[in-house]
Amino acid sequence: MQAWPHPDIPKIPDAAPQPVRVHDSSTKELVTVGPESGTARLYVCGITPYDATHMGHANTYVTFDLLYRQWLDAGIEVNYVQNITDIDDPLLERANATGVDWRELADSQIELFRGDMTALGVIPPAHYIGAVEGIPLVLEALDQIPQDMLYQVEGEYRDWYFTAPRVSDFGDVAGLDHDAQIATFAERGGDPERPGKRDPLDTLVWQLERPGEPSWPGGDRGRGRPGWHIECTAIAHEYLGANIDVQGGGSDLAFPHHEMSAAQSHALTGEPFAKAYVHGGMVGLDGEKMSKSKGNLVKVSELRAEGVDPRAVRLGLLAHHYRGDWSWSAEVLAAAKQRLSTWQRAIMAGSGPVGADTLDAMRQTLRADLDAPTALAAVDAWAESALAGDGDDASAPALIADAVHALLGVDL
Ligand SMILES: Nc1ncnc2c1ncn2[C@@H]1O[C@H](COS(=O)(=O)NC(=O)[C@@H](N)CS)[C@@H](O)[C@H]1O
Ligand SMILES: [Zn+2]
């Protein structure tokens, strides 16, 4: 699947060596992510293509764009892979509910998503892989997983399951206790109650064909379609291998999705799936989680259609620490517009405080768990001084503009 255009990233003076550190959900600690040098391997779960691109989606992809940019600034290349869940129950349900062909719904939403990611200055993945195009990878992965960890349930539809709880480090990603695992699994697309399962937490990997639903040849597994978690396991395995640097997503993916994907990957390769699991907080609207089911979505494309500068949208997102839960609001947008115009005026000033000091401050904070709000405050301080005529570093305005562009993804 085609991704979207790569934004320009200006060259800024080399950084002093400083590790890029983020919070790992599994150890619940700040960890250094990425190799000393060379290429970091990053897998960020993509959208299920409907209701794209709401502010929750945007928050997540801008978060991992920040991580990408800090790695680049540290001289580390990134092999970035993202999937699209372009076949799954929620997509079929929405297509049926709106009387739209599920493929047309997916295609139109993916196109919208590409435009929004481009407008937000998000660096595209090197591999952008749909679940449908990934079906051969899913079938291959199922053939490589130890076959005693797969079984068919009895009954009318003998769907295939994976014995996730049998994997030694199952549970280490999200750290939930058993009751919480069962409850969360049921809440987020799992089927702990299904009769015939050996363990309530075994997870569906291949669903046999249902009347009126799309299906694909499954070899000796029978015609059907892939389960949700196995698509990410198979795509990440194909393009990144095991022991990747970061598996990313919003916090609602930690369990069951990232837990199950990691268990499947561990069974497939015999190695842990990722060195770190990084999760962004949930974005709501006026205190409610922004979600398709609640229908309280603010979409990037709608704001853009109203003439909102996407750079203000991005600054609105960056004003909140990526790990916090927060709500989008008109005030968030107004403050971001104000900040954008202040920064644009400030870099037009003839000079300002020493640019290198602000650049260092930005690097320090962004490499310390992607602390964008503190980085924004450093630029605010520089801008205020520059607009007050303080400081006589004539090269500062251009340096600050380039630093904001390279490290924050905002091209002033
Ligand atoms: N309200 C929200 N706030 C923050 N992130 C969100 C919100 N809603 C969804 N996301 C994140 O946006 C990304 C895409 O979500 S999604 O469209 O539901 N799709 C999926 O979760 C799957 N296709 C992942 S393989 C996920 O990382 C999810 O955690
Ligand atoms: Zn995923």
Side-chain angles (χ1 to χ4, degrees), residues 6 18 38 160-161 200 255 358 372 406:
H6 199 297
Q18 184 201 347
W160 287 86
Y161 280 79
F255 196 93
T358 300

Side-chain angles (χ1 to χ4, degrees), residues 185-244:
F185 192 40
E187 249 169 64
R188 294 176 179 163
D191 57 356
E193 312 292 323
R194 179 167 184 176
K197 285 175 68 174
R198 292 180 192 163
D199 184 305
L201 291 170
D202 289 348
T203 186
L204 177 74
V205 287
W206 187 256
Q207 179 173 297
L208 294 188
E209 173 176 35
R210 297 308 199 261
E213 279 196 6
S215 67
W216 288 265
D220 52 12
R221 305 215 184 266
R223 272 193 79 82
R225 61 185 168 93
W228 173 24
H229 314 307
I230 193 70
E231 87 186 51
C232 285
T233 299
I235 291 168
H237 179 245
E238 172 73 10
Y239 292 96
L240 294 173
N243 253 319
I244 70 172

Side-chain angles (χ1 to χ4, degrees), residues 43-46 83 85 228-229 231-232 247-248 253 257-258 261:
Y43 187 87
V44 178
C45 288
N83 71 308
T85 305
W228 173 24
H229 314 307
E231 87 186 51
C232 285
Q247 152 84 70
L253 295 189
H257 186 51
H258 289 166
S261 301

Side-chain angles (χ1 to χ4, degrees), residues 45-48 54 56-57 59-61 83 85 228 231-232 249-253 257 281-283 289-292:
C45 288
I47 58 168
T48 300
H54 63 63
H57 293 147
N59 191 58
T60 293
Y61 301 112
N83 71 308
T85 305
W228 173 24
E231 87 186 51
C232 285
S251 56
D252 60 339
L253 295 189
H257 186 51
M282 290 291 108
V283 177
K289 181 191 171 210
M290 198 177 285
S291 79
K292 313 166 182 180

Side-chain angles (χ1 to χ4, degrees), residues 145-207:
I145 282 175
Q147 295 304 292
D148 66 347
M149 299 186 84
L150 298 172
Y151 65 94
Q152 286 183 277
V153 289
E154 295 307 322
E156 188 184 0
Y157 295 107
R158 300 201 60 222
D159 301 332
W160 287 86
Y161 280 79
F162 168 72
T163 57
R166 280 182 42 197
V167 175
S168 58
D169 57 2
F170 179 75
D172 290 358
V173 172
L176 298 185
D177 65 33
H178 187 264
D179 292 349
Q181 288 177 334
I182 295 281
T184 312
F185 192 40
E187 249 169 64
R188 294 176 179 163
D191 57 356
E193 312 292 323
R194 179 167 184 176
K197 285 175 68 174
R198 292 180 192 163
D199 184 305
L201 291 170
D202 289 348
T203 186
L204 177 74
V205 287
W206 187 256
Q207 179 173 297

Side-chain angles (χ1 to χ4, degrees), residues 14-70:
D14 282 352
Q18 184 201 347
V20 178
R21 295 159 59 77
V22 289
H23 184 269
D24 167 34
S25 298
S26 175
T27 57
K28 300 193 178 11
E29 284 168 4
L30 266 190
V31 296
T32 295
V33 286
E36 288 280 307
S37 62
T39 301
R41 290 173 293 150
L42 169 65
Y43 187 87
V44 178
C45 288
I47 58 168
T48 300
Y50 66 84
D51 283 340
T53 309
H54 63 63
M55 299 315 279
H57 293 147
N59 191 58
T60 293
Y61 301 112
V62 166
T63 291
F64 293 96
D65 185 61
L66 265 192
L67 173 58
Y68 196 144
R69 290 169 180 276
Q70 307 330 304

